[in-house]
Amino acid sequence: MKLIIGSIALATLTGCATAVGSDAKDEHRGHHPKASPAAAPIAYEQQMAAMHEMHRKMAAAKTPDERAALMKDHRQSMQDGMAMMGRMREGMGAKGPMAMDPETMKRRMDMMEMMMQMMMDREAMKPPAER
């Protein structure tokens, strides 16, 4: 079961954005203003803080009902993280991962690691019958 979850997490983190066609990506990008490069580290820090806080809340929840009540916010936090990682990847362009500066690559990897930890911890909180 853990192997399946790990595989799903890896597939989600590495490939979910590739399912959208380039026309849809261009259309989607059109209504988002370009962020300044200086704003990227601030946005990253805010997103990581939000994910850490959500992780803390999920870990502090004592009952399945408390965890269920947090799931909407948890999903939104994960979706926001995926969107941010997609924007980071867009910065790579056609040259691939080596075109991304080392600090951005580190941030992206840290965010992936945090999201995978959140998914694994969430799975571990489920009762044995649901795993």
Side-chain angles (χ1 to χ4, degrees):
M1 181 53 112
K2 288 182 182 180
L3 179 61
I4 292 170
I5 293 167
S7 298
I8 291 170
L10 183 60
T12 300
L13 292 173
T14 58
C16 77
T18 60
V20 178
S22 63
D23 292 340
K25 284 182 189 176
D26 291 340
E27 182 180 314
H28 180 79
R29 250 185 251 138
H31 69 269
H32 288 282
K34 292 261 183 203
S36 70
I42 295 167
Y44 164 80
E45 293 297 332
Q46 291 171 340
Q47 180 62 35
M48 288 298 285
M51 289 193 311
H52 279 287
E53 179 63 16
M54 179 52 56
H55 189 239
R56 187 198 61 75
K57 287 179 181 179
M58 290 293 285
K62 302 289 185 225
T63 67
D65 289 339
E66 288 176 358
R67 284 188 288 279
L70 292 169
M71 284 308 295
K72 181 179 179 186
D73 291 337
H74 184 272
R75 280 189 199 100
Q76 186 62 50
S77 177
M78 297 294 277
Q79 289 173 347
D80 292 347
M82 289 298 297
M84 179 169 277
M85 286 191 305
R87 289 189 301 273
M88 289 174 169
R89 185 180 56 217
E90 285 175 6
M92 288 191 288
K95 296 179 183 176
M98 296 308 290
M100 184 182 288
D101 68 276
E103 188 60 33
T104 301
M105 180 66 81
K106 180 187 179 313
R107 287 186 189 117
R108 192 167 190 265
M109 294 303 293
D110 288 347
M111 188 170 284
M112 281 188 216
E113 184 178 327
M114 179 67 200
M115 292 177 73
M116 291 175 72
Q117 187 64 53
M118 289 172 72
M119 287 187 283
M120 296 304 292
D121 290 349
R122 186 181 68 206
E123 187 64 25
M125 290 178 196
K126 288 182 180 179
E130 293 181 26
R131 290 187 203 158

